[in-house]
Amino acid sequence: MSELPIPSELITCLRAAHRITALTGAGISAESGVPTFREAQTGLWARYNPEELATPEAFQRDPKLVWEWYAWRQERVRQAKPNPGHLALADIERHAGEFSLITQNVDGLHRRAGSHQVLELHGNLFRAKCFNEDRPVENWPDSDDIPPRCPRCGGLLRPDVVWFGESLPVAVLRAAEQAAANANVFLSIGTSSLVYPAADLPFIALKSGAAVVEINPQPTPLSPHATFSLNGASGIILPALAAQVWGEQGHH
Ligand code: BJW
């Protein structure tokens, strides 16, 4: 593992860092078999574009279609397991001094891997809320309705995720911006860096003087600005990085 080309300047930088912040995207779950957002879908959903399903307008047009898409994704995620990339981040949380984990993912795999503090910017696939009242709903009576109905107001239930044109949860976004501004090292992992305001976070970190490390097999709009670019799969790179920085000789 220690043979991977992780620059020694980066190892030094991580060992010296007081606060490390990581932002993850769909790419970190790719090795768990969860399709990323912008890669072509397969099977049942191959003819739909996720960008066109993840909007309030799509839900209003065809709530059953959108609810079923999320139900299908829930099922895929239930069958998936955290991969070595998720596990390495849980390990880093245990070993690094101050560490913040921000995710755009709605799959809950970071928590299942053992990360305790996770800022979920785009909500969670396994929660529902009322489309009318915008309030969380935990239980609803069994019925054949798809989507099910809100037990309080009879409105349609929707997944508690953030769609295009909707605001991110304010407190979570504030905490993420703070964690970016306070970081000495900011890791951007498995995200296409196309969706705002998440895509601003590494730039907030850069402005505050942090080193920004990108981990992605493909270049993104962030790549020209990154201090270090590690081109490869997060499931390979993150465990190697954690072992080299905090393993054996590197423990704080
Ligand atoms: C690997 C790998 C491996 C593969 N290892 N890596 C400023 C400028 C322009 C537009 C805007 C702006 N501010 C706001 C906007 C509008 C909009 C936006 O950003 N549009 C852009 C697309 C242009 N943003 C919003 O609407 C946001 N709301 C908002 O800003 O409210 C205020 C406002 C409203 C209206 C107007 C203006 C302001 C809300 C954004 C919500 C995003 N929601 C989604 C769906 C969540 C629910 C669900 O999952 O269904 O979030 S969209 C989707 O994209 C999802 C993801 O979290 C998000 C990011 O995608 P991600 O994670 O980067 O995945 P991919 O697939 O794109 O990339 C995967 C990457 O992994 C690739 O790079 C691969 O190479 C890599 N990879 N294998 C490591 N093994």
Side-chain angles (χ1 to χ4, degrees), residues 116-171:
H116 292 102
Q117 305 281 342
V118 188
L119 295 167
E120 292 182 322
L121 286 177
H122 294 161
N124 191 296
L125 198 51
F126 295 97
R127 289 194 311 254
K129 64 180 183 178
C130 173
F131 187 77
N132 291 348
E133 305 172 303
D134 201 38
R135 287 204 291 175
V137 174
E138 278 175 22
N139 301 296
W140 52 89
D142 267 344
S143 90
D144 294 334
D145 290 343
I146 305 176
R149 300 249 164 206
C150 171
R152 283 186 299 259
C153 77
L156 296 177
L157 293 188
R158 55 163 283 181
D160 190 0
V161 299
V162 182
W163 285 329
F164 285 112
E166 297 185 321
S167 310
L168 277 66
V170 179

Side-chain angles (χ1 to χ4, degrees), residues 24-32 35-39 50-51 53-55 69-70 73 83 103-107 121-125 159-168 173 189-200 214-220 230 232-236:
T24 62
I28 194 162
S29 296
E31 290 155 87
S32 294
T36 64
F37 215 76
R38 284 169 184 79
E39 80 189 352
E51 297 209 24
L53 291 173
T55 69
W69 180 51
Y70 281 94
R73 289 175 55 197
N83 67 57
T103 189
Q104 299 167 83
N105 300 344
V106 297
D107 58 27
L121 286 177
H122 294 161
N124 191 296
L125 198 51
D160 190 0
V161 299
V162 182
W163 285 329
F164 285 112
E166 297 185 321
S167 310
L168 277 66
L173 179 60
I189 306 161
T191 173
S192 56
S193 282
L194 292 172
V195 174
Y196 289 85
D200 273 332
E214 184 174 55
I215 301 176
N216 198 314
Q218 303 293 334
T220 74
L230 305 180
S234 46
I236 307 273

Side-chain angles (χ1 to χ4, degrees), residues 42-100:
T42 50
L44 262 183
W45 296 96
R47 62 201 172 94
Y48 297 98
N49 175 354
E51 297 209 24
E52 283 160 17
L53 291 173
T55 69
E57 294 75 22
F59 185 78
Q60 277 172 308
R61 207 164 41 235
D62 195 343
K64 183 165 184 279
L65 175 80
V66 173
W67 182 269
E68 284 179 336
W69 180 51
Y70 281 94
W72 174 79
R73 289 175 55 197
Q74 268 190 4
E75 203 35 53
R76 289 209 56 159
V77 170
R78 275 204 191 92
Q79 286 165 15
K81 287 202 305 263
N83 67 57
H86 298 108
L87 296 169
L89 286 173
D91 228 33
I92 296 177
E93 180 183 69
R94 282 190 288 273
H95 292 128
E98 297 199 42
F99 179 69
S100 300

